[in-house]
Amino acid sequence: PHTNKKFPGFKPAEEKGQDSEYDAEAHKEKIFGGHVKEYMEMLAEEDPTKYEAHFSKFIAEDIDADKLEEMYTEAHEKIRESPEATPGEKKDITHAREEDQITSSDGTEHVRSKKITLEQRRAKVAEKIAAAQAKLMEEDDDE
């Protein structure tokens, strides 16, 4: 049902009539985080401070580049054991709108413009045009 054209490790045929290639090992390497492992090793050697910033949660869980594939293997096993997704707990946050200001019960505030209808938008534009014309007329009268 699926084609492997979009998977890592697929190389299309260079000329018409030739067979395209699919490297399953390259695909497996990506699935188990081989590219992340290489990046972790490279960062650890070249820039340890950046490595610690990027992979702080991995370091806290005592996961280094060598344990990465093991971590993904465990995750896949757990998914196979119970593939049903468990929804996360909902946060009881409510939002209150006052004009363009939205205040949440967790204390955050956001500015969100209300959508206006086409008629309201046209009226707003006509108002601006009228104000600009009135300003021009005043300037003409002053001269």
Side-chain angles (χ1 to χ4, degrees), residues 93-142:
I93 298 175
T94 56
H95 306 282
R97 177 185 277 271
E98 209 174 293
E99 294 294 317
D100 287 349
Q101 191 75 22
I102 297 177
T103 310
S104 302
S105 61
D106 65 348
T108 57
E109 291 185 354
H110 305 282
V111 176
R112 300 284 186 264
S113 299
K114 268 189 157 179
K115 283 190 175 182
I116 58 174
T117 64
L118 180 62
E119 292 82 27
Q120 289 171 328
R121 202 171 317 121
R122 285 185 176 158
K124 200 173 171 182
V125 170
E127 230 176 79
K128 286 182 181 179
I129 291 172
Q133 286 176 341
K135 187 176 179 183
L136 282 174
M137 294 299 273
E138 276 182 28
E139 288 176 4
D140 284 345
D141 290 342
D142 290 344

Side-chain angles (χ1 to χ4, degrees), residues 12-138:
E14 292 182 19
E15 292 181 24
K16 211 170 195 168
Q18 287 183 335
D19 290 336
S20 52
E21 295 178 28
Y22 171 64
D23 183 13
E25 280 301 312
H27 191 184
K28 182 182 176 191
E29 187 75 18
K30 279 275 194 187
I31 290 172
F32 287 102
H35 57 296
V36 179
K37 177 182 177 181
E38 289 174 16
Y39 183 64
M40 284 177 85
E41 291 169 345
M42 185 268 301
L43 261 188
E45 285 178 18
E46 293 179 13
D47 194 355
T49 55
K50 192 173 181 182
Y51 169 78
E52 288 172 12
H54 276 263
F55 297 104
S56 59
K57 292 194 177 183
F58 283 87
I59 294 168
E61 294 291 324
D62 196 36
I63 298 171
D64 60 348
D66 298 326
K67 295 180 183 175
L68 206 59
E69 187 172 344
E70 184 181 310
M71 178 189 74
Y72 281 115
T73 307
E74 280 180 35
H76 290 136
E77 286 172 4
K78 287 179 182 177
I79 290 170
R80 284 188 195 99
E81 284 174 16
S82 62
E84 293 82 33
T86 54
E89 291 181 29
K90 286 195 173 188
K91 300 173 183 165
D92 294 325
I93 298 175
T94 56
H95 306 282
R97 177 185 277 271
E98 209 174 293
E99 294 294 317
D100 287 349
Q101 191 75 22
I102 297 177
T103 310
S104 302
S105 61
D106 65 348
T108 57
E109 291 185 354
H110 305 282
V111 176
R112 300 284 186 264
S113 299
K114 268 189 157 179
K115 283 190 175 182
I116 58 174
T117 64
L118 180 62
E119 292 82 27
Q120 289 171 328
R121 202 171 317 121
R122 285 185 176 158
K124 200 173 171 182
V125 170
E127 230 176 79
K128 286 182 181 179
I129 291 172
Q133 286 176 341
K135 187 176 179 183
L136 282 174
M137 294 299 273
E138 276 182 28

